[in-house]
Amino acid sequence: MLQLPDVVRDRGSKYAVSGGKVASREEAEAFLAELKRDKKFAKATHNTWAVILSDGTPLKGDDGESGAGNVILRMLEREGVSDRIVVVTRWYGGKHLGGDRFRHVQTCVRAWLEKSTG
């Protein structure tokens, strides 16, 4: 598991990104369960995620951050990344971020892709 703990801070919200190898829905669920064993991640406002399985099956979860799973999924598709789950975690800071939240998700995914493949 590769974790980048403090990628973006904006108006009190904090973002982190985690990811690793998974090959099935069950492994994706196990990855999320393992991540949430850490109280810090369990208490996060959102743990949005996506993975494209090697057979082409897309899986995603918004965890209340509507549309964020799709943002991650599109970035993985564009990069041709399969069997790697990417989870963007947000701790809400009390102020709405509007569309900026999607830019922050993209920043997190980009940082993870650079570290995991570079």
Side-chain angles (χ1 to χ4, degrees):
M1 178 186 303
L2 172 63
Q3 287 187 321
L4 303 175
D6 194 7
V7 180
V8 176
R9 289 176 182 249
D10 183 7
R11 290 169 266 178
S13 286
K14 292 188 320 185
Y15 286 81
V17 63
S18 310
K21 188 164 178 48
V22 299
S24 66
R25 176 179 291 279
E26 295 75 25
E27 287 184 17
E29 290 169 358
F31 184 95
L32 290 163
E34 179 66 27
L35 183 68
K36 291 178 186 177
R37 280 200 189 108
D38 182 332
K39 281 184 186 170
K40 177 173 73 173
F41 288 93
K43 291 181 177 182
T45 314
H46 308 288
N47 285 292
T48 59
W49 62 275
V51 59
I52 301 169
L53 302 179
S54 54
D55 67 2
T57 302
L59 304 172
K60 65 181 173 65
D62 287 337
D63 192 26
E65 186 81 284
S66 185
N70 242 355
V71 171
I72 300 167
L73 195 59
R74 280 195 310 271
M75 291 183 75
L76 294 176
E77 285 172 345
R78 215 172 8 252
E79 294 296 320
V81 174
S82 61
D83 291 337
R84 298 280 186 278
I85 189 171
V86 177
V87 183
V88 176
T89 302
R90 177 183 179 191
W91 292 269
Y92 180 64
K95 292 192 176 137
H96 292 286
L97 303 181
D100 288 342
R101 62 195 170 107
F102 296 116
R103 281 191 286 285
H104 298 332
V105 169
Q106 290 172 332
T107 298
C108 288
V109 174
R110 211 171 295 116
W112 189 87
L113 288 168
E114 287 171 8
K115 289 281 188 193
S116 69
T117 59

